[in-house]
Amino acid sequence: MLIRLGYEIAIECAAATPIISLLDIHPDRHADIKRQTRVLTSPSVPTRTYHDRHGNICRRFTAPAGSFRILYDAVIEDSGETDEVNTLARETPVAELPDDVLTYLLGSRYCETDHLGSIAWQLFGQLPPGWARVQAIVDYVNSRLSFGYGYARATRTAAQAHEERVGVCRDFAHLAITLCRCMNIPARYVNGYLGDIGVPADPA
């Protein structure tokens, strides 16, 4: 199937503001791009890219004071198939984890494993390790939180989302990541395009 993707993001800056955007298509999918525009800015400013340690393309530029827009439009080919489900996926004991994933067990500013550790073990400690445990965590987060754009708050942490029972997409992700890390399951935040295929247009 062919999927059109893109964005037009408008911001207001009180002063010239250096920005790093992670909005470029991952190099793994470049062969699937059927057409695309350049990344455009208005007003036009120079941009440059670099790759982070996960292979993401990061775009650096400085937005001038005042109104600023960044635009992109593309069509990409995709199978349209859902993600693979492997209910037999096993949980790797911490002692056997590769060195480069150990950092994804640690607490952080948004993922306070120290606050949610006992709750996680009470909820999920008796479940069989592996796919079933992670699925239970995701299901719990989806039933625990209510989604709403009006709930957005840039400072909300996983523990606050758990207590307040509301949030936006990042709050769902932070809470799931934190609960996984509490259970010694490495997890990290990954963002992507939110598809609207089959979703009625929002008149707003």
Side-chain angles (χ1 to χ4, degrees):
M1 70 185 333
L2 296 178
I3 301 173
R4 185 178 179 200
L5 63 97
Y7 52 82
E8 180 176 352
I9 300 171
I11 60 174
E12 287 281 335
C13 298
T17 306
I19 294 175
I20 301 172
S21 72
L22 279 82
L23 296 168
D24 288 62
I25 296 173
H26 195 278
D28 286 353
R29 299 303 303 270
H30 280 184
D32 300 320
I33 299 172
K34 297 306 175 190
R35 72 162 180 79
Q36 65 179 330
T37 64
R38 292 184 302 110
V39 174
L40 304 171
T41 65
S42 178
S44 181
V45 298
T47 72
R48 70 175 182 85
T49 61
Y50 68 93
H51 291 77
D52 69 12
R53 68 182 188 164
H54 302 293
N56 299 307
I57 300 173
C58 305
R59 185 172 298 274
R60 292 186 68 174
F61 53 91
T62 299
S67 298
F68 182 77
R69 291 188 310 148
I70 179 170
L71 307 93
Y72 176 74
D73 185 58
V75 172
I76 193 165
E77 187 171 22
D78 187 78
S79 70
E81 295 180 11
T82 57
D83 290 341
E84 179 186 352
V85 172
N86 180 5
T87 57
L88 300 178
R90 71 181 195 95
E91 197 170 298
T92 304
V94 174
E96 298 174 23
L97 288 171
D99 297 341
D100 60 344
V101 303
L102 294 177
T103 187
Y104 305 123
L105 293 175
L106 303 177
S108 70
R109 156 76 175 83
Y110 289 100
C111 299
E112 320 100 311
T113 51
D114 53 339
H115 288 283
L116 292 171
S118 60
I119 292 171
W121 280 96
Q122 288 170 18
L123 292 169
F124 311 111
Q126 304 307 312
L127 296 177
W131 182 279
R133 180 178 280 170
V134 175
Q135 188 63 59
I137 289 171
V138 172
D139 292 343
Y140 174 80
V141 171
N142 282 326
S143 65
R144 175 85 183 178
L145 303 187
S146 293
F147 178 89
Y149 290 114
Y151 300 137
R153 189 175 77 232
T155 59
R156 182 182 288 115
T157 67
Q160 290 169 339
H162 188 264
E163 183 177 327
E164 297 168 15
R165 303 189 74 152
V166 297
V168 291
C169 52
R170 67 172 170 261
D171 301 306
F172 283 70
H174 285 147
L175 182 54
I177 289 166
T178 305
L179 295 174
C180 283
R181 290 183 181 186
C182 288
M183 302 304 298
N184 295 318
I185 302 166
R188 70 179 180 95
Y189 190 108
V190 177
N191 71 328
Y193 288 99
L194 176 63
D196 59 2
I197 298 169
V199 177
D202 182 346

